[in-house]
Amino acid sequence: PAPAPSEVDVFSGPHSRMKRLVQLYSEKLSEVDLSSCSDLRSLLWILKATFSEFKTHEHIENECIMWRLKNRLQFLKVEIAAVSEVHSDNKLSEMVQLVEDACCQADKCTCPKQAAQIGHNLILALRNFTEDFLPHMQEEEEIFQPLLMEYFSYNELKEIKSNVIEKHQKL
Ligand code: FEO
């Protein structure tokens, strides 16, 4: 689909930030020494902040966009599976929990073998998460944005976008 005009494009701005965060932790992963407890702790600091931001991003989208879209479709008696299922799989919550657990383990970590084990599990989970998260954002931009354009007026979308941006700026 043709890109939405910038003033009603509700996803691209926040997604640039989320993609930058993915890039930052991916870079960090490529240079981390998995057998070092202090490297592991510094990676976990980044991940803790990153996943808290991802979680808030999802919350803002639910509150400002998805619930409004669901209500509008319900009112019009239109059923679209992608809309009912968006954010329903809890991979993000699982990842937040995993990072929390890894932080607790890393606090007590003193041996390289244990750090490597925690780091290894974390990297696998992160790869798995990222493989879903990037296409998820793409789906929002390519499928949800056109849906919004179809079911909301231009002025409504301007208002939605301004809410979305304002809430992200408070992060
Ligand atoms: Fe924009 Fe649902 O992540």
Side-chain angles (χ1 to χ4, degrees):
S6 160
E7 55 181 357
V8 292
D9 179 348
V10 302
F11 293 111
S12 298
H15 282 179
S16 305
R17 166 76 185 154
M18 303 307 135
K19 287 172 194 171
R20 176 76 187 132
L21 292 174
V22 169
Q23 194 188 355
L24 287 173
Y25 72 62
S26 303
E27 281 167 17
K28 183 81 185 166
L29 284 184
S30 66
E31 63 201 27
V32 72
D33 172 5
L34 274 187
S35 60
S36 152
C37 294
S38 67
D39 264 29
L40 178 65
R41 285 192 199 102
S42 93
L43 171 66
L44 281 163
W45 265 111
I46 294 174
L47 293 177
K48 213 172 159 174
T50 298
F51 278 87
S52 156
E53 206 167 319
F54 287 170
K55 197 72 196 153
T56 308
H57 169 68
E58 185 180 277
H59 179 73
I60 295 169
E61 283 183 339
N62 281 339
E63 196 179 53
C64 301
I65 306 171
M66 302 309 181
W67 290 338
R68 283 190 71 170
L69 179 60
K70 280 179 192 174
N71 282 342
R72 180 65 49 99
L73 293 177
Q74 210 169 19
F75 178 75
L76 297 169
K77 301 195 189 317
V78 177
E79 231 177 277
I80 299 174
V83 178
S84 5
E85 287 157 15
V86 70
H87 298 155
S88 64
D89 92 30
N90 55 3
K91 270 215 172 120
L92 183 50
S93 303
E94 281 169 18
M95 205 56 228
V96 170
Q97 190 57 51
L98 199 131
V99 170
E100 286 286 333
D101 293 347
C103 284
C104 292
Q105 292 169 340
D107 278 346
K108 297 172 208 142
C109 168
T110 48
C111 85
K113 205 173 155 197
Q114 193 191 2
Q117 185 60 50
I118 300 168
H120 179 70
N121 291 343
L122 203 58
I123 285 176
L124 286 183
L126 270 172
R127 285 209 185 114
N128 199 281
F129 169 82
T130 312
E131 270 173 23
D132 281 357
F133 188 51
L134 294 175
H136 164 71
M137 288 193 279
Q138 192 176 356
E139 183 188 32
E140 289 178 331
E141 292 164 24
E142 293 180 359
I143 296 176
F144 281 75
Q145 181 69 42
L147 276 177
L148 292 166
M149 308 283 284
E150 191 175 343
Y151 291 104
F152 288 87
S153 72
Y154 201 85
N155 279 338
E156 284 175 317
L157 286 177
K158 272 168 71 177
E159 181 228 317
I160 291 174
K161 173 168 180 180
S162 116
N163 276 337
V164 166
I165 298 299
E166 194 194 313
K167 289 198 156 79
H168 277 91
Q169 275 165 353
K170 287 185 188 151
L171 279 177

